Amino acid sequence: MEFYGLIGEKLGHSLSEPIHRMFFELMGIQGAYKLVEVPKDQLPGLGAAMRLIGIRGMNVTIPYKQAIMDQLDRVDEMARRVGAVNTVLLREGELTGYNTDVYGLRALMDRHKMPVQGATAAILGTGGVSKAALEVLLSGGAQTIYYVSRDKAGKRAPDPRVICADYRDLAELSGDILINCTPVGMYPKAGVSPVGREIIARFDHLVDTIYNPMETEFLRMGREMGKNTCNGLYMLVAQAMAAQAIWQGEPVPEAVTERIYHRLKDDMEPARRVFIIGMMGCGKTTLGKALAERMNLDFVDMDDEIERMSGHSIPDLFAQGEAVFREWESKVCEGLSLRKNLVVATGGGAPLYERNLRAMKANGGLVLYNDRPVERIARDIDMSGRPMLAGGMDRLYELAKERAPRYARAADLTVLNDAGPEEALEKMVAALKGAWKA
């Protein structure tokens, strides 16, 4: 059995192990692939360790794609041009470095019919993946490439077609292809974009090298504008298969790449998961149950789940201190974010905490604001058993004034619930069908 692996500083969210395991299964190869986290102070001895152990091949990820090059006997010409190595082969005691990110990104862009020849393109970021993007565009015949960093001072263009720029320059730029090679928008800090709508609007094709979430805020805005968009999942699989071709000494059938990609895509496709937020007493639970039944989804009341997991009632948790309750609330929220096909009725304070909001929106989760006027809540609400309303009706109005703007900012969708529950339910169903294109 041959041994392979991935080295990097932090690898908790890597998909490399399942990708290569599927490859071995599909090809009938006896092989093992492991993730190896290497602290920076141990990197200098890595090359010697590979030779000693006899590991046939290693992938390399951030922050070691450039640092590893000094420990290799040879560096492939493409990897040298890119200035980064992400694949290492051990053969007859010699370590050779390659860059398969270039192959992966080229395969992704070809798959989504992104015209590189003669194009004007912009690359966001200047790390290892951005260098691969630069190689793809240059070798593909792009006419003009804007290489965008936070500060262009002192940056040197590697080719006459390349123009070093910063984010201030983007306000004046337009073109064909915009590639995000930064980590902005990646889980768990999803929901943000490296650039705004006004910049996205001036490009026809958007590539995000991020694959978790499958649709970043950057891509979501582009899709809504009718742009041709793609995430980095196919690039990840294609570059892994290019690494295996190097290690095995023969090309990987395209059908194998496709099967692995579709398996991962099915697993990672944004699940139908919606978190209903709003003031206590606005009807989140009642409407949530009806919505789940209507959309054929499971229903969870977050407060019930907190009580189940903690073994304490909500009032008992508050009696231990609000911080104790909020910690349980966050744990439950993060657990629910991993489940699929779900409607969750949240507590009134849950979406006010960034940790919870990140979990709700992870991998395609939607936050739906049930906006019921406080006067109607005051007419209907039973305040018993609600620790946050110990101050009576005045406290309800005070909370509504404070929270309503924050709910609105947190929401992906808002439904005005100012009539009966039947009308509110129809509005929710219509909003979700539009968002999910059901």
Side-chain angles (χ1 to χ4, degrees):
M1 177 181 287
E2 300 281 6
F3 293 92
Y4 309 84
L6 171 69
I7 63 168
E9 188 174 23
K10 296 185 185 301
L11 304 174
H13 299 291
S14 173
L15 293 177
S16 292
E17 191 277 332
I19 288 173
H20 290 279
R21 175 166 37 81
M22 283 188 273
F23 169 80
F24 294 139
E25 291 171 358
L26 291 169
M27 297 297 291
I29 293 174
Q30 293 294 312
Y33 190 99
K34 299 297 181 183
L35 306 184
V36 184
E37 293 189 345
V38 178
K40 288 181 180 178
D41 61 356
Q42 295 182 18
L43 184 66
L46 187 63
M50 283 185 65
R51 292 185 181 90
L52 180 64
I53 299 171
I55 295 176
R56 181 161 179 77
M58 293 290 291
N59 289 131
V60 184
T61 189
I62 55 175
Y64 301 141
K65 290 186 179 184
Q66 294 166 298
I68 193 69
M69 295 173 74
D70 292 338
Q71 300 188 46
L72 307 178
D73 300 298
R74 279 195 334 108
V75 175
D76 173 75
E77 179 57 32
M78 180 182 289
R80 195 174 297 281
R81 286 200 308 271
V82 173
V85 162
N86 77 329
T87 299
V88 178
L89 168 68
L90 174 64
R91 183 166 52 198
E92 297 178 355
E94 182 177 86
L95 293 173
T96 303
Y98 302 85
N99 189 296
T100 63
D101 283 335
V102 173
Y103 175 85
L105 181 56
R106 184 180 291 136
L108 171 68
M109 294 176 68
D110 287 347
R111 196 172 194 270
H112 288 268
K113 297 180 172 55
M114 297 195 171
V116 174
Q117 179 70 39
T120 295
I123 301 171
L124 306 179
T126 56
V129 176
S130 71
K131 292 177 172 61
L134 193 60
E135 172 66 21
V136 169
L137 294 171
L138 288 171
S139 61
Q143 184 175 28
T144 305
I145 305 165
Y146 295 99
Y147 202 39
V148 184
S149 61
R150 286 190 292 268
D151 184 3
K152 64 182 178 183
K155 297 288 194 304
R156 296 181 60 186
D159 185 278
R161 291 172 286 168
V162 177
I163 299 171
C164 293
D166 57 35
Y167 284 86
R168 290 166 296 187
D169 298 324
L170 276 174
E172 308 298 326
L173 303 182
S174 62
D176 304 295
I177 303 170
L178 181 60
I179 306 176
N180 178 36
C181 296
T182 78
V184 177
M186 183 167 63
Y187 181 82
K189 296 182 179 180
V192 293
S193 173
V195 294
R197 287 179 175 273
E198 67 284 356
I199 292 169
I200 290 172
R202 296 198 295 271
F203 290 84
D204 298 323
H205 307 271
L206 305 184
V207 180
D208 201 329
T209 56
I210 293 170
Y211 54 84
N212 186 12
M214 291 281 279
E215 183 175 70
T216 59
E217 181 69 6
F218 173 71
L219 294 182
R220 184 189 69 79
M221 289 190 289
R223 173 179 56 78
E224 289 181 349
M225 294 181 196
K227 309 296 183 181
N228 180 21
T229 66
C230 61
N231 65 43
L233 185 61
Y234 191 84
M235 173 184 173
L236 178 72
V237 177
Q239 67 80 26
M241 295 302 98
Q244 283 290 353
I246 291 168
W247 297 333
Q248 306 304 328
E250 59 184 19
V252 175
E254 186 176 343
V256 171
T257 304
E258 288 291 325
R259 286 187 67 180
I260 293 172
Y261 167 71
H262 283 290
R263 281 194 200 175
L264 288 176
K265 184 173 179 288
D266 289 345
D267 288 342
M268 296 184 67
E269 200 70 58
R272 293 192 168 193
R273 185 189 314 108
V274 58
F275 291 81
I276 303 177
I277 67 172
M279 282 293 294
M280 56 196 75
C282 70
K284 297 187 294 288
T285 298
T286 300
L287 285 168
K289 289 178 179 177
L291 182 65
E293 183 176 356
R294 181 76 170 272
M295 303 291 286
N296 195 29
L297 305 172
D298 295 329
F299 172 77
V300 173
D301 183 285
M302 189 178 287
D303 283 351
D304 289 347
E305 192 73 359
I306 291 169
E307 290 184 340
R308 186 186 69 79
M309 287 189 64
S310 69
H312 296 278
S313 69
I314 300 300
D316 285 347
L317 289 173
F318 267 93
Q320 298 174 46
E322 186 176 348
V324 174
F325 170 78
R326 295 301 175 194
E327 180 61 25
W328 275 108
E329 182 178 65
S330 293
K331 288 179 180 178
V332 167
C333 194
E334 288 166 354
L336 293 173
S337 74
L338 302 176
R339 292 173 57 179
K340 294 184 176 182
N341 303 320
L342 197 65
V343 175
V344 180
T346 70
L352 307 180
Y353 295 85
E354 185 61 30
R355 175 180 172 185
N356 297 344
L357 202 55
R358 283 201 305 268
M360 291 178 195
K361 297 194 176 195
N363 197 31
L366 291 176
V367 174
L368 189 156
Y369 175 24
N370 178 21
D371 182 12
R372 186 158 177 78
V374 67
E375 295 81 9
R376 293 181 179 270
I377 296 175
R379 183 189 65 190
D380 302 332
I381 194 169
D382 176 5
M383 295 192 182
S384 61
R386 295 183 183 270
M388 292 299 292
L389 293 182
M393 198 62 70
D394 289 344
R395 181 57 177 156
L396 173 66
Y397 278 87
E398 182 183 318
L399 283 173
K401 183 177 179 180
E402 171 196 333
R403 291 180 173 182
R406 299 174 70 182
Y407 290 149
R409 288 195 297 270
D412 300 302
L413 304 167
T414 298
V415 166
L416 179 60
N417 178 8
D418 61 350
E422 295 83 4
E423 181 178 319
L425 175 61
E426 293 305 321
K427 289 179 181 178
M428 287 183 176
V429 169
L432 288 175
K433 283 186 175 181
W436 288 333
K437 298 204 168 21

